[in-house]
Short mmCIF file of all heavy atoms in Angstrom, two decimals:
data_model
loop_
_atom_site.label_atom_id
_atom_site.label_comp_id
_atom_site.label_asym_id
_atom_site.label_seq_id
_atom_site.Cartn_x
_atom_site.Cartn_y
_atom_site.Cartn_z
N MET A 1 -72.75 15.06 100.02
CA MET A 1 -72.84 13.88 99.13
C MET A 1 -73.47 12.71 99.86
O MET A 1 -73.32 12.57 101.07
CB MET A 1 -71.44 13.47 98.69
CG MET A 1 -70.98 14.18 97.45
SD MET A 1 -69.28 13.70 97.08
CE MET A 1 -69.54 12.66 95.67
N VAL A 19 -48.64 1.13 84.88
CA VAL A 19 -47.39 0.69 85.53
C VAL A 19 -47.28 -0.84 85.47
O VAL A 19 -46.22 -1.38 85.14
CB VAL A 19 -47.34 1.18 86.99
CG1 VAL A 19 -46.17 0.55 87.74
CG2 VAL A 19 -47.22 2.71 87.03
N GLY A 25 -44.92 -6.33 80.92
CA GLY A 25 -44.51 -6.28 79.52
C GLY A 25 -43.00 -6.34 79.35
O GLY A 25 -42.50 -6.81 78.32
N ALA A 33 -56.90 -7.66 82.15
CA ALA A 33 -57.49 -7.04 83.35
C ALA A 33 -58.74 -7.81 83.78
O ALA A 33 -59.60 -8.13 82.95
CB ALA A 33 -57.84 -5.59 83.09
N ALA A 57 -61.16 -9.82 81.45
CA ALA A 57 -61.72 -11.09 81.91
C ALA A 57 -62.71 -10.83 83.04
O ALA A 57 -62.52 -9.91 83.84
CB ALA A 57 -60.62 -12.01 82.41
N VAL A 61 -70.88 -14.03 83.05
CA VAL A 61 -71.26 -13.74 81.67
C VAL A 61 -72.04 -12.43 81.62
O VAL A 61 -71.91 -11.64 80.68
CB VAL A 61 -72.15 -14.87 81.07
CG1 VAL A 61 -72.31 -14.69 79.58
CG2 VAL A 61 -71.56 -16.22 81.38
N ASN A 63 -71.61 -9.77 83.26
CA ASN A 63 -70.69 -8.62 83.21
C ASN A 63 -70.07 -8.46 81.83
O ASN A 63 -69.91 -7.34 81.33
CB ASN A 63 -69.60 -8.77 84.27
CG ASN A 63 -70.14 -8.61 85.69
OD1 ASN A 63 -71.26 -8.12 85.87
ND2 ASN A 63 -69.38 -9.03 86.67
N ASP A 71 -70.09 -1.23 74.42
CA ASP A 71 -69.07 -0.86 73.44
C ASP A 71 -67.66 -0.76 73.99
O ASP A 71 -66.87 0.07 73.56
CB ASP A 71 -69.43 0.48 72.76
CG ASP A 71 -70.56 0.30 71.77
OD1 ASP A 71 -70.67 -0.81 71.21
OD2 ASP A 71 -71.33 1.26 71.57
N GLY A 80 -63.01 -18.56 85.54
CA GLY A 80 -63.78 -19.39 86.47
C GLY A 80 -64.13 -20.66 85.72
O GLY A 80 -63.44 -21.05 84.79
N LEU A 83 -70.60 -22.60 83.20
CA LEU A 83 -71.75 -23.47 83.49
C LEU A 83 -72.30 -24.05 82.19
O LEU A 83 -72.50 -23.32 81.22
CB LEU A 83 -72.85 -22.67 84.19
CG LEU A 83 -72.49 -21.93 85.48
CD1 LEU A 83 -73.72 -21.24 86.06
CD2 LEU A 83 -71.87 -22.87 86.49
N ASN A 99 -61.64 -23.49 80.44
CA ASN A 99 -62.42 -24.72 80.53
C ASN A 99 -61.63 -25.87 81.12
O ASN A 99 -60.40 -25.92 81.00
CB ASN A 99 -62.91 -25.13 79.14
CG ASN A 99 -64.10 -24.32 78.69
OD1 ASN A 99 -65.24 -24.63 79.04
ND2 ASN A 99 -63.85 -23.26 77.95
N VAL A 104 -68.75 -29.68 78.93
CA VAL A 104 -69.06 -28.26 78.75
C VAL A 104 -68.46 -27.75 77.44
O VAL A 104 -69.12 -27.02 76.68
CB VAL A 104 -68.53 -27.43 79.96
CG1 VAL A 104 -68.76 -25.95 79.73
CG2 VAL A 104 -69.19 -27.90 81.25
N ILE A 122 -59.23 -21.80 76.54
CA ILE A 122 -57.96 -22.03 77.22
C ILE A 122 -58.22 -23.17 78.20
O ILE A 122 -59.18 -23.09 78.99
CB ILE A 122 -57.48 -20.75 77.95
CG1 ILE A 122 -57.07 -19.70 76.91
CG2 ILE A 122 -56.34 -21.05 78.93
CD1 ILE A 122 -56.68 -18.36 77.48
N LEU A 147 -59.79 -31.40 70.15
CA LEU A 147 -59.37 -31.12 68.78
C LEU A 147 -60.33 -31.72 67.75
O LEU A 147 -60.36 -31.30 66.60
CB LEU A 147 -57.94 -31.62 68.54
CG LEU A 147 -56.86 -30.88 69.33
CD1 LEU A 147 -55.49 -31.49 69.08
CD2 LEU A 147 -56.85 -29.38 68.99
N SER A 200 -52.82 -11.92 90.24
CA SER A 200 -51.98 -10.93 90.95
C SER A 200 -50.96 -11.60 91.86
O SER A 200 -49.91 -11.03 92.15
CB SER A 200 -52.85 -10.00 91.81
OG SER A 200 -53.67 -9.19 91.02
N GLU A 222 -56.70 -7.66 91.50
CA GLU A 222 -56.39 -6.99 92.77
C GLU A 222 -55.25 -5.98 92.67
O GLU A 222 -55.34 -4.88 93.21
CB GLU A 222 -56.07 -8.04 93.84
CG GLU A 222 -55.78 -7.39 95.19
CD GLU A 222 -55.92 -8.34 96.38
OE1 GLU A 222 -56.25 -9.52 96.18
OE2 GLU A 222 -55.70 -7.87 97.50
N VAL A 247 -67.02 5.50 102.14
CA VAL A 247 -67.32 6.64 103.01
C VAL A 247 -68.71 6.49 103.61
O VAL A 247 -69.68 6.17 102.91
CB VAL A 247 -67.26 7.97 102.21
CG1 VAL A 247 -67.47 9.16 103.13
CG2 VAL A 247 -65.93 8.09 101.46
N SER A 258 -69.18 0.36 128.18
CA SER A 258 -68.46 -0.45 127.20
C SER A 258 -68.97 -1.89 127.19
O SER A 258 -68.60 -2.68 126.32
CB SER A 258 -66.95 -0.42 127.46
OG SER A 258 -66.68 -0.53 128.84
N VAL A 259 -69.81 -2.26 128.20
CA VAL A 259 -70.36 -3.62 128.25
C VAL A 259 -71.89 -3.53 128.22
O VAL A 259 -72.48 -2.74 128.97
CB VAL A 259 -69.89 -4.34 129.54
CG1 VAL A 259 -70.48 -5.74 129.61
CG2 VAL A 259 -68.37 -4.41 129.60
N GLU A 263 -80.24 -9.09 130.40
CA GLU A 263 -80.09 -10.54 130.21
C GLU A 263 -79.45 -10.81 128.85
O GLU A 263 -79.81 -10.18 127.86
CB GLU A 263 -81.47 -11.20 130.20
CG GLU A 263 -81.90 -11.75 131.53
CD GLU A 263 -83.30 -12.34 131.42
OE1 GLU A 263 -83.48 -13.30 130.65
OE2 GLU A 263 -84.22 -11.80 132.09
N THR A 276 -64.90 -6.45 127.10
CA THR A 276 -64.09 -6.07 128.27
C THR A 276 -64.60 -4.73 128.78
O THR A 276 -64.93 -3.84 128.00
CB THR A 276 -62.59 -5.90 127.91
OG1 THR A 276 -62.47 -5.76 126.50
CG2 THR A 276 -61.76 -7.08 128.38
N ILE A 306 -63.25 -0.30 115.16
CA ILE A 306 -64.55 -0.85 114.78
C ILE A 306 -64.96 -1.87 115.85
O ILE A 306 -64.23 -2.83 116.10
CB ILE A 306 -64.48 -1.53 113.39
CG1 ILE A 306 -64.07 -0.51 112.33
CG2 ILE A 306 -65.81 -2.19 113.04
CD1 ILE A 306 -63.81 -1.09 110.94
N SER A 354 -59.69 13.03 86.63
CA SER A 354 -59.34 14.05 85.68
C SER A 354 -59.17 13.35 84.34
O SER A 354 -58.73 13.92 83.38
CB SER A 354 -58.05 14.76 86.10
OG SER A 354 -57.05 13.81 86.27
#
Side-chain angles (χ1 to χ4, degrees):
M1 272 177 107
V19 171
V61 191
N63 290 345
D71 286 331
L83 304 182
N99 282 276
V104 176
I122 290 176
L147 293 177
S200 294
E222 182 161 359
V247 184
S258 42
V259 179
E263 265 178 62
T276 18
I306 300 174
S354 55

